[in-house]
Amino acid sequence: MKTFFSLLLFCVSGFLGVFAQGYQQTESGVKITSQGMDVEVTFYSPSIVRVLKYPTGKYPDKQSLSVTMQPKALSVNTLFTDGVVSLTSTHLTVQLNLETGKVFFKDLLGNLLFTEKDYGTQFTEINYPSGKRYIVRQAFLLEPDEVIYGLGQQQGGKMNQRNQRLFLRQENMKVCIPYIASVKGYGVFWDNYSPTTFTDNRQETSFESESGLCSDYYFMYGGSGDGTVAQMRLLTGQAPMPPLWTFGFWQSRERYKSQEELLNVIKEYRRLGIPLDGIIQDWQYWSTDNAYWNAMEFGNPEFPDPQGMLDKIHAQNVHAMISVWANFGPKTKPFATLKEKNMLIPVDTWPHKSGVHPYDPYHPEARDIYWDYLDKGIFSLGMDAWWLDSTEPDHFNIRDRNFDLPTYLGPWRDVRNAFPLMSNKGVYEHQRAMASDKRVYILTRSAFAGQQRYAANTWSGDVDSRWDVFRKQIAAGLNFTVCGIPYWNTDIGGFFSHKLYPKGIKDDAYKELYVRWLQFGTFTPMMRSHGTDTPREIYQFGSRGEWAFDIQEKFINLRYALLPYLYSTAWDVTKNNGSFMRALFMDFPQDKNVYDLDNEFMFGKSFLVVPVTDPMYVNRDREITIGQTKKQSVYLPSSDWYDFWSGDRIAGGRQIERETPIDLIPVYVKAGSILPLGPEVQYATEKKWEHLVLRIYPGKDATFVLYEDENDNYNYERGAYTEIMITWDEKEQTLTIGERMGQGFDGMLKKRRFIIQLPDGKVSKIVSYSGRRLKIKL
């Protein structure tokens, strides 16, 4: 009997011990009830933690639209002390206060990384016409001088996103992603798709969403800018390889009004010997009647032979992209099919008051229907790429936003900001399922977290042709790519030019703006000329010997010389979660002078680019005056640098003045870089890289991985590619070209020559390479 009571007492005390602590151990975390809510902390990986909070007993049955990662069973050490449960993985510690429900994060040394505010979670019940929801608010505390980036693409020109209030709802020119990344090496993704207000002030940093059932965010610790991007990609998906040709030059206009006009553009580029890889057909190829908006077929009589047009484009080694929208006119076949199945969202969109409505991209069958018409009407002709326009989408009727309209996933308010993610998803997944010989490539006007997995390159929208707007694109693009989406670009020259430049290309003031914008575009993931009012083809600006023509030709040719660097950087993005446009804190985290620079960036890991974003050479009479060279102030981060144009070596960690004649912008190469340069070509695949320049920038040890594959299919996913690791040993002054790695591919070069250059462009040595390791003493 005594033994029985002793055993009973042991069991009861053990039972009370677990529940007295007030938490429940889960497979990869803990769960508690506190302050009228359930709190779940779950490790998705040693570096990624999900924090989910909801009113007690009201578990939200939520499937994330952005997050693709699933939690895995992990070995997490749990310790309970003084009302706080601590969970420690191999990378960080998460602590949860059982009384307040507050969560905070520390590194393994015990340093505080990020913390919620005490009692910072709020659920305010609201009765929308579509049903009951909560306004969900989560507040955090940052260090007073902590610098953060992200929030998608905003047009305020700010690099550091502190001390502001932003309303995050998708619009033209405004991409809203509720994500922040800190210079301390962590990122936070607020997983809510309704319109959300971000606030940062002295009291707190918070996300407040108009509709939700829970507070749901992911904390990612990468330890650095690159590490945080890698964690975001691990959480939301990897970026596939674009085709090689997409890194060439693109010409576009709003719009080519006939197939003859479009074909003549290509003909003129080829006649002039100006490289070109992509041509874009904008809207109204379907009809000029808005009732047939986005019919997904050629109905305009000015395009009488679309198949013949595509064949002629391809015969000249150019690729075609076409504008496709997320909405349909009332007389189109897709509209009729979608309306019958109740798969339209009946709001007023562009074109305004034309009866055009967006489709419901949240519905799997609606995405099937969308692709079916796109395939039969356009893809089957041999179209190469998609311009998915208005993927926010445009939404008029400001006073009556109709956010209570139903979608497949519930009220539109609940999923509003994820519209571009789902729309791009439909096109990507359907083309991938249908064709493996042609990589999906999408140009799109909006984005949401995770969109990198759908081969989408987002452009900054219909921006004005103004110098101040031009400069703001730099910060907009850098903050966007910090969110883990590497491919971004902008309309070279700005979309709307007529407001300030009614004479267009006849105005020297516009020419100066355009060539400066094009110089910037050379160092973005997609070099694309586009706009309305003013035709942008190079020959519109004059002919050879005229400054506006010659500068464009110079930078277009530079773009093609950089193709080996660009394509290898793309591989680094896909394989190693790298980035093209890099905010300077990513490469110089200890240099606080770079934290808020809004007009400089790294392009890949070698180039420092400083676009010229102020007019210098147009006088008050709007005439060009290039006789006296002007200068621009440049901050060189803490490193040694080489002037790309002169080869001069310059010490960093200081401000300098660089002469900026109209035909160049400040570009520097980091000491300890290896830069591969390709041959002169008229299109990306015209010549194989049989004679490849390797320009060595000494000063530090350097490594570069040269990547090659079949350029435009998915065989690389099965190993059909090669890598050549090239290293520079600074101490030994020795270049090593490593053994060619990988299983190889059809058309692979078995032999080639490397022309080794110094920073001034002078040839040092020429070596033959057949795939075996070479060591060259310089």
Side-chain angles (χ1 to χ4, degrees), residues 390-503:
S390 189
T391 46
E392 307 86 22
D394 286 306
H395 189 183
F396 300 111
N397 293 343
I398 294 176
R399 293 185 179 179
D400 180 17
R401 289 282 183 168
N402 297 320
F403 289 131
D404 292 292
L405 291 168
T407 74
Y408 179 78
L409 294 180
W412 197 23
R413 179 183 289 102
D414 289 11
V415 290
R416 173 70 177 87
N417 282 341
F419 191 102
L421 179 71
M422 304 306 289
S423 186
N424 285 280
K425 167 188 170 80
V427 173
Y428 174 81
E429 290 185 343
H430 281 91
Q431 184 178 327
R432 279 285 334 238
M434 174 174 285
S436 61
D437 61 337
K438 180 182 291 189
R439 295 179 197 167
V440 184
Y441 192 69
I442 294 171
L443 175 66
T444 186
R445 202 173 73 180
S446 195
F448 196 71
Q451 195 156 292
Q452 70 278 353
R453 63 184 184 254
Y454 299 136
N457 192 321
T458 303
W459 96 95
S460 62
D462 300 339
V463 297
D464 284 343
S465 301
R466 298 202 324 254
W467 287 96
D468 62 322
V469 171
F470 170 28
R471 178 164 180 156
K472 289 175 182 177
Q473 301 317 295
I474 301 170
L478 293 173
N479 276 289
F480 177 84
T481 59
V482 164
C483 296
I485 309 177
Y487 293 103
W488 177 92
N489 71 107
T490 184
D491 290 347
I492 291 175
F495 184 71
F496 290 112
S497 61
H498 69 283
K499 297 177 183 179
L500 290 179
Y501 307 100
K503 294 182 180 180

Side-chain angles (χ1 to χ4, degrees), residues 6 55 64 117 147 182 187 344 347 383 387 427 442 509 538 658 694:
S6 298
S64 177
K117 188 177 181 180
V147 178
S182 169
L344 292 170
V347 299
M383 191 59 63
W387 182 357
V427 173
I442 294 171
I538 187 172
R658 174 56 162 102
L694 294 180

Side-chain angles (χ1 to χ4, degrees), residues 56 134 204 260 537 628:
T56 302
Y134 296 101
E204 64 183 28
E260 181 181 9
E537 294 80 17
Q628 183 178 359

Side-chain angles (χ1 to χ4, degrees), residues 341-642:
K341 293 179 175 290
N342 198 30
M343 295 178 185
L344 292 170
I345 303 175
V347 299
D348 185 20
T349 188
W350 182 266
H352 191 22
K353 296 182 180 179
S354 298
V356 177
H357 296 319
Y359 82 117
D360 182 356
Y362 312 100
H363 200 304
E365 187 179 354
R367 296 195 297 268
D368 291 344
I369 293 168
Y370 188 98
W371 174 257
D372 187 52
Y373 281 105
L374 189 58
D375 174 33
K376 292 177 181 177
I378 300 178
F379 186 59
S380 61
L381 301 174
M383 191 59 63
D384 301 298
W386 310 108
W387 182 357
L388 300 187
D389 208 339
S390 189
T391 46
E392 307 86 22
D394 286 306
H395 189 183
F396 300 111
N397 293 343
I398 294 176
R399 293 185 179 179
D400 180 17
R401 289 282 183 168
N402 297 320
F403 289 131
D404 292 292
L405 291 168
T407 74
Y408 179 78
L409 294 180
W412 197 23
R413 179 183 289 102
D414 289 11
V415 290
R416 173 70 177 87
N417 282 341
F419 191 102
L421 179 71
M422 304 306 289
S423 186
N424 285 280
K425 167 188 170 80
V427 173
Y428 174 81
E429 290 185 343
H430 281 91
Q431 184 178 327
R432 279 285 334 238
M434 174 174 285
S436 61
D437 61 337
K438 180 182 291 189
R439 295 179 197 167
V440 184
Y441 192 69
I442 294 171
L443 175 66
T444 186
R445 202 173 73 180
S446 195
F448 196 71
Q451 195 156 292
Q452 70 278 353
R453 63 184 184 254
Y454 299 136
N457 192 321
T458 303
W459 96 95
S460 62
D462 300 339
V463 297
D464 284 343
S465 301
R466 298 202 324 254
W467 287 96
D468 62 322
V469 171
F470 170 28
R471 178 164 180 156
K472 289 175 182 177
Q473 301 317 295
I474 301 170
L478 293 173
N479 276 289
F480 177 84
T481 59
V482 164
C483 296
I485 309 177
Y487 293 103
W488 177 92
N489 71 107
T490 184
D491 290 347
I492 291 175
F495 184 71
F496 290 112
S497 61
H498 69 283
K499 297 177 183 179
L500 290 179
Y501 307 100
K503 294 182 180 180
I505 53 174
K506 295 181 180 180
D507 188 338
D508 283 342
Y510 181 70
K511 289 181 182 179
E512 183 182 16
L513 173 65
Y514 183 83
V515 299
R516 291 304 197 190
W517 210 314
L518 181 131
Q519 290 165 345
F520 164 58
T522 305
F523 297 95
T524 63
M526 185 182 190
M527 187 182 187
R528 181 183 57 89
S529 170
H530 178 72
T532 190
D533 311 314
T534 301
R536 315 292 172 87
E537 294 80 17
I538 187 172
Y539 49 83
Q540 307 281 358
F541 291 81
S543 56
R544 282 192 176 91
E546 298 181 55
W547 64 271
F549 184 104
D550 291 350
I551 294 168
Q552 291 181 63
E553 183 176 25
K554 173 183 176 178
F555 276 83
I556 292 171
N557 280 319
L558 173 59
R559 177 73 173 194
Y560 279 83
L562 293 175
L563 283 177
Y565 178 81
L566 295 169
Y567 204 51
S568 298
T569 300
W571 178 239
D572 182 59
V573 168
T574 296
K575 183 181 181 183
N576 303 315
N577 298 299
S579 299
F580 269 96
M581 296 181 67
R582 302 169 59 81
L584 293 183
F585 86 96
M586 299 176 72
D587 294 275
F588 309 97
Q590 305 306 319
D591 189 345
K592 293 184 178 181
N593 293 314
V594 308
Y595 284 0
D596 205 22
L597 275 181
D598 66 350
N599 69 330
E600 301 184 16
F601 62 96
M602 293 294 291
F603 187 57
K605 295 179 181 178
S606 297
F607 284 105
L608 174 69
V609 182
V610 189
V612 174
T613 56
D614 292 294
M616 293 183 176
Y617 294 105
V618 174
N619 61 25
R620 293 182 179 180
D621 296 324
R622 301 175 81 88
E623 295 173 340
I624 196 77
T625 56
I626 56 178
Q628 183 178 359
T629 301
K630 305 294 179 65
K631 294 182 178 181
Q632 170 149 328
S633 180
V634 173
Y635 179 74
L636 294 177
S638 302
S639 176
D640 278 355
W641 298 92
Y642 290 87

Side-chain angles (χ1 to χ4, degrees), residues 666-715:
V667 178
Y668 299 88
V669 182
K670 190 177 181 182
S673 293
I674 299 169
L675 179 61
L677 298 170
E680 285 191 19
V681 291
Q682 291 297 292
Y683 55 93
T685 57
E686 181 186 13
K687 299 175 184 176
K688 293 186 177 182
W689 298 341
E690 293 178 301
H691 309 291
L692 204 61
V693 169
L694 294 180
R695 191 174 292 176
I696 312 304
Y697 292 86
K700 294 181 180 179
D701 292 346
T703 299
F704 188 88
V705 176
L706 179 67
Y707 172 83
E708 294 168 283
D709 64 16
E710 294 173 1
N711 300 325
D712 193 6
N713 58 41
Y714 289 99
N715 290 341

